[in-house]
């Protein structure tokens, strides 16, 4: 899933930003991006929501992403699945249409309404791992850009932000202009779509689903 790795790629930024400028508006664009990556890597969790395209197919995502943990929903070209990661295990629960598309009609009968689980580092679900770890996710998103310029202070969804304009890909990254330099969102990139990063360091519980089917033990 290209957008999953590249984006792929969520309104306001949590974490007690305050109102005093953090100085990002006066830094180089490259420095602001590096600060945003560092701030994201140091956080515990963020809420990622938005829409874009994956292999020219529409993709929507609503994910909570932490350190080797995540939960949420993705919809690609109308096919939806829920996702949970805890440590080295990834769980998914797909709609019937999702199961039929990727595993055939028999899978709908076998796994309707069931959670499936597999390794986050190898096997069938490992390709989803970049979506489920905060540092990896933002390193992928913020590390792929063309020529960038710092456009200075603006507002993004009502919050003070610094706009980093990608003049090559015609999109913008918005970074908090107060408090930690958390990424707030991406807008207008053809590759990434529009994605918002919010609720930094929120208190969100992520638990393993019960009675998941272990794909590694299927015949």
């Amino acid at each position: 899933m290209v957008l999953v790795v590249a984006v792929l790629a969520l309104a306001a930024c949590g974490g007690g930003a305050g109102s005093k400028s953090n100085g990002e508006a006066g830094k180089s664009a490259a420095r602001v991006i590096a600060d945003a990556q560092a701030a994201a890597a140091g956080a515990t969790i963020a809420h990622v929501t938005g829409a874009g395209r994956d292999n020219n197919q529409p993709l929507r995502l609503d994910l909570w992403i932490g350190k080797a943990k995540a939960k949420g929903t993705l919809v690609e070209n109308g096919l939806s699945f829920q996702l949970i990661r805890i440590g080295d295990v990834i769980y998914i629960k797909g709609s019937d249409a999702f199961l039929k598309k990727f595993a055939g009609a028999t899978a709908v009968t076998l796994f309707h309404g069931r959670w499936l689980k597999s390794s986050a580092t190898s096997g069938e679900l490992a390709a989803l791992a970049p979506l489920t770890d905060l540092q990896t996710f933002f390193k992928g998103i913020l590390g792929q850009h063309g020529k960038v310029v710092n456009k200075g202070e603006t507002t993004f969804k009502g919050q003070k932000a610094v706009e980093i304009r990608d003049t090559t890909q015609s999109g913008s990254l918005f970074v908090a202009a107060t408090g930690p330099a958390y990424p707030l969102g991406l807008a207008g990139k053809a590759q990434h779509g529009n994605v918002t990063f919010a609720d930094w360091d929120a208190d969100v519980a992520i638990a393993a689903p019960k009675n998941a089917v272990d794909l590694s033990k299927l015949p």
Side-chain angles (χ1 to χ4, degrees), residues 7 10-11 37 48 74 82 88 111 130 140 145 170 181 189 192 203 210 214 218:
V7 77
L10 306 149
Q37 286 180 316
V48 180
L74 290 94
Q82 297 177 64
D88 291 333
F111 304 129
H145 56 77
S170 299
K189 282 192 175 184
H192 296 307
D203 185 10
K210 296 180 179 179
D214 190 341
L218 293 179

Side-chain angles (χ1 to χ4, degrees), residues 118-159:
S118 186
S119 169
T121 58
S122 63
E124 294 89 342
L125 305 183
L128 296 172
L131 271 182
T132 59
D133 178 75
L134 201 63
Q135 183 172 1
T136 303
F137 181 81
F138 280 99
K139 183 178 180 180
I141 287 181
L142 303 184
Q144 299 190 24
H145 56 77
K147 182 180 179 181
V148 289
V149 294
N150 188 336
K151 302 293 288 185
E153 257 192 45
T154 184
T155 58
F156 180 78
K157 297 187 180 293
Q159 183 168 346

Side-chain angles (χ1 to χ4, degrees), residues 7-189:
V7 77
L8 243 151
L10 306 149
C13 167
S19 59
K20 186 177 180 181
S21 171
N22 58 15
E24 296 297 328
K27 297 180 181 180
S28 70
R31 182 70 260 171
V32 175
I33 292 172
D35 289 349
Q37 286 180 316
T44 57
I45 202 165
H47 191 195
V48 180
T49 58
R53 302 192 72 81
D54 169 22
N55 290 328
N56 206 34
Q57 299 297 321
L59 175 70
R60 292 187 290 111
L61 67 163
D62 185 342
L63 294 173
W64 287 94
I65 305 176
K67 296 180 183 297
K69 65 178 182 179
K71 70 174 182 178
T73 303
L74 290 94
V75 182
E76 184 169 17
N77 200 27
L79 303 176
S80 66
F81 67 95
Q82 297 177 64
L83 168 70
I84 292 175
R85 177 181 177 179
I86 299 176
D88 291 333
V89 181
I90 289 180
Y91 304 82
I92 65 167
K93 183 167 73 171
S95 65
D96 286 352
F98 175 90
L99 291 171
K100 184 176 181 179
K101 171 71 174 180
F102 293 103
T106 302
V108 177
T109 302
L110 292 174
F111 304 129
H112 171 77
R114 300 290 303 276
W115 282 94
L116 311 176
K117 73 175 183 179
S118 186
S119 169
T121 58
S122 63
E124 294 89 342
L125 305 183
L128 296 172
L131 271 182
T132 59
D133 178 75
L134 201 63
Q135 183 172 1
T136 303
F137 181 81
F138 280 99
K139 183 178 180 180
I141 287 181
L142 303 184
Q144 299 190 24
H145 56 77
K147 182 180 179 181
V148 289
V149 294
N150 188 336
K151 302 293 288 185
E153 257 192 45
T154 184
T155 58
F156 180 78
K157 297 187 180 293
Q159 183 168 346
K160 290 182 179 179
V162 175
E163 180 182 0
I164 303 302
R165 183 71 175 172
D166 187 329
T167 60
T168 304
Q169 299 184 36
S170 299
S172 292
L173 164 70
F174 296 90
V175 176
T178 61
Y182 291 132
L184 301 181
L186 292 166
K189 282 192 175 184

Side-chain angles (χ1 to χ4, degrees), residues 199-217:
D199 302 316
W200 290 91
D201 296 321
D203 185 10
V204 178
I206 299 178
K210 296 180 179 179
N211 302 316
V213 176
D214 190 341
L215 294 177
S216 69
K217 295 182 180 180

